[in-house]
Amino acid sequence: MIQNLTDHDREHLQEALGKSGQKVTPQREAVFTVLLAQRDHPTVDEVFHRAREVMPGLSLATVYNCLETFVGCGLVRQVNHERESTRYCPNLTPHAHFRDKATGRVHDIELPPEVLKSLRSILPPGFDSDVVEISFHGRAQAKDSDPSN
Amino acid sequence: MIQNLTDHDREHLQEALGKSGQKVTPQREAVFTVLLAQRDHPTVDEVFHRAREVMPGLSLATVYNCLETFVGCGLVRQVNHERESTRYCPNLTPHAHFRDKATGRVHDIELPPEVLKSLRSILPPGFDSDVVEISFHGRAQAKDSDPSN
DNA sequence: TAATCAGTTAGAATGAGTCTAATCCGCAAG
DNA sequence: CTTGCGGATTAGACTCATTCTAACTGATTA
Ligand SMILES: [Mn+2]
Ligand SMILES: [Mn+2]
Ligand SMILES: [Zn+2]
Ligand SMILES: [Zn+2]
C-alpha cells in the first residue's frame, strides 16, 4: 500500500531539503512517502495515521513539523478550503483544486499557462502576486477511485 | 463614521432576509451597516467592535449569527486566506481577493466575465461548480486609505 | 392572558494548529 | 572509544476562532 520512494523521489526529497540546509530523516521520508503514495490531499491527521502504519512511534507533532518543513522548501503545497483542516498536495505543477460537495474529496484541476496568465492580467498596476489559489466547489461525477502516483 | 443604511440598502437587506423567511432586527441592521460602511473585509471581531460602538449590548455570538445568516441568504461572502480568521465582504459582483503580504489588508480585484469563463473552462467534463474562489497573495503599492462605500 | 417562536445572549465546549521543554541521536572533536 | 553539540523528535500544554448549549427576551398569535 505504501511502497517505498523511488530513487528519483528520494533524490528530490534530499535535494529540496538540502537546499534549505536540512536533512533527510526517517520520519521525513515516511511522511513524504505517504504523500506520494496516495495523492488525495490528505489532512495532517490522515497523513499521521497512514505514516504510523509504517512507523508506529511517529508523533503527530512530527507530522506537523515535517509538513511545515516540506512546505517551506517547496516540496508540497498546502490546500485550504474555507475553514476545514489544511490538506497537503505534492503536485508541484500549476493547478487548481476542486472540492466535491458530496464526498469532500479534493481533485487537482490542470491549469493551462494561458489561463493562469489571463488570471494574473486582472491585477491592476501596483499589485504583485507570488501565489494565486484557485478553488472550485461543486459536484463531480463519481469517476471512482484514487489518483495515486 | 457608521452612517445609517440608505433606503436602498435597507430594502436590499429586508428583501434578502425575507426571501429566506427571516426578519430585519436591530442587530442585523447594525451588523449589515458596519459591513457596508467600511468595505475592508473585516473579521468577526472587527465587525463586533465596530458594531458595538453603535449598539453596546450586542454580543459576539449574535455577530456570528448575523454573519452566518447573511451568508446563507447571499447578502455577504465569506473570504478565507489560509487559516486566518474568516473575513466578510458585501461586494456581490464577481471578484477575486488580493491579500497584501505586508499589511494583511484584503483588496477586491474585479473579475471580468471572460476571465471567469476561461477559468470555468478548465473543468473537465463531469465537474460542475457553483463557486470559484480566487485569491492572490503578494505585495500591493501603498495606494492608501479605505475603500468605503 | 398565555403560548409560541425566532432571535439574542453568556458562557462552555471543540478542535486544528502552535508552543514548550525534555529527550534523542548522528556526528565530529578530543 | 567517550563527550559535546545541534538539529530533530516527542508528549503534552496551550491558544483561539468557531460552534454549541441553554436560558432569556420580546414580538406575535390563539
Ligand atoms: Mn522531481
Ligand atoms: Mn442592491
Ligand atoms: Zn493538488
Ligand atoms: Zn471582496
Side-chain angles (χ1 to χ4, degrees):
Chain A
M1 215 131 288
I2 304 177
Q3 320 90 320
N4 279 337
L5 250 30
T6 63
D7 289 349
H8 171 269
D9 289 333
R10 181 174 292 103
E11 199 178 298
H12 182 202
L13 176 63
Q14 147 86 257
E15 192 179 304
L17 286 170
K19 268 186 202 162
S20 49
Q22 292 174 297
K23 301 203 179 107
V24 178
T25 66
Q27 288 84 351
R28 285 172 180 166
E29 193 167 317
V31 169
F32 193 57
T33 302
V34 161
L35 291 176
L36 294 188
Q38 201 180 332
R39 298 170 159 249
D40 60 350
H41 304 88
T43 61
V44 174
D45 232 65
E46 288 165 340
V47 173
F48 177 54
H49 290 299
R50 292 177 197 175
R52 272 222 173 204
E53 284 175 22
V54 111
M55 182 181 278
L58 182 69
S59 77
L60 180 60
T62 297
V63 175
Y64 273 102
N65 291 340
C66 290
L67 291 170
E68 184 187 7
T69 299
F70 294 163
V71 171
C73 59
L75 275 170
V76 162
R77 281 173 58 181
Q78 285 187 322
V79 179
N80 291 288
H81 282 106
E82 296 169 6
R83 307 251 334 145
E84 294 177 4
S85 325
T86 300
R87 296 173 175 276
Y88 291 84
C89 172
N91 176 354
L92 297 179
T93 67
H95 66 281
H97 289 107
F98 183 101
R99 191 187 32 164
D100 188 324
K101 200 179 280 190
T103 65
R105 271 206 279 260
V106 175
H107 303 268
D108 282 350
I109 305 289
E110 214 194 315
L111 187 59
E114 74 271 15
V115 173
L116 184 54
K117 210 155 54 163
S118 89
L119 243 192
R120 298 202 113 98
S121 78
I122 73 177
L123 288 176
F127 288 81
D128 223 332
S129 150
D130 315 330
V131 192
V132 199
E133 305 224 332
I134 302 162
S135 78
F136 296 93
H137 190 203
R139 300 196 178 272
Q141 272 168 20
K143 279 292 186 184
D144 85 276
S145 68
D146 79 293
S148 300
N149 184 330
Chain B
M1 215 131 289
I2 304 178
Q3 319 89 322
N4 279 338
L5 252 28
T6 63
D7 289 349
H8 172 267
D9 289 332
R10 180 174 292 102
E11 199 178 297
H12 182 201
L13 176 63
Q14 149 84 258
E15 193 180 302
L17 285 170
K19 268 187 202 163
S20 47
Q22 293 172 297
K23 301 203 179 107
V24 177
T25 65
Q27 289 86 349
R28 285 173 180 167
E29 192 167 319
V31 168
F32 193 57
T33 303
V34 161
L35 290 177
L36 294 187
Q38 201 178 333
R39 296 169 160 250
D40 59 353
H41 304 87
T43 61
V44 173
D45 231 64
E46 288 165 341
V47 172
F48 177 54
H49 291 299
R50 291 177 197 175
R52 271 220 174 209
E53 283 174 24
V54 112
M55 182 180 280
L58 182 69
S59 77
L60 180 59
T62 298
V63 175
Y64 273 101
N65 290 340
C66 291
L67 291 170
E68 184 186 6
T69 299
F70 295 164
V71 171
C73 60
L75 274 171
V76 162
R77 281 174 56 182
Q78 285 186 322
V79 179
N80 290 288
H81 282 105
E82 295 168 9
R83 307 252 335 146
E84 294 177 5
S85 324
T86 300
R87 296 174 175 277
Y88 291 83
C89 172
N91 176 354
L92 297 179
T93 66
H95 66 282
H97 289 108
F98 183 102
R99 191 188 32 164
D100 188 324
K101 201 179 282 193
T103 64
R105 271 205 279 260
V106 175
H107 303 268
D108 282 349
I109 306 288
E110 213 195 316
L111 186 59
E114 74 271 16
V115 173
L116 184 54
K117 212 158 46 163
S118 88
L119 243 191
R120 297 202 113 98
S121 79
I122 74 177
L123 287 176
F127 288 81
D128 223 333
S129 151
D130 315 330
V131 191
V132 199
E133 306 224 331
I134 302 163
S135 81
F136 296 92
H137 189 205
R139 301 196 177 273
Q141 271 168 23
K143 278 293 185 182
D144 85 276
S145 68
D146 82 292
S148 299
N149 182 332

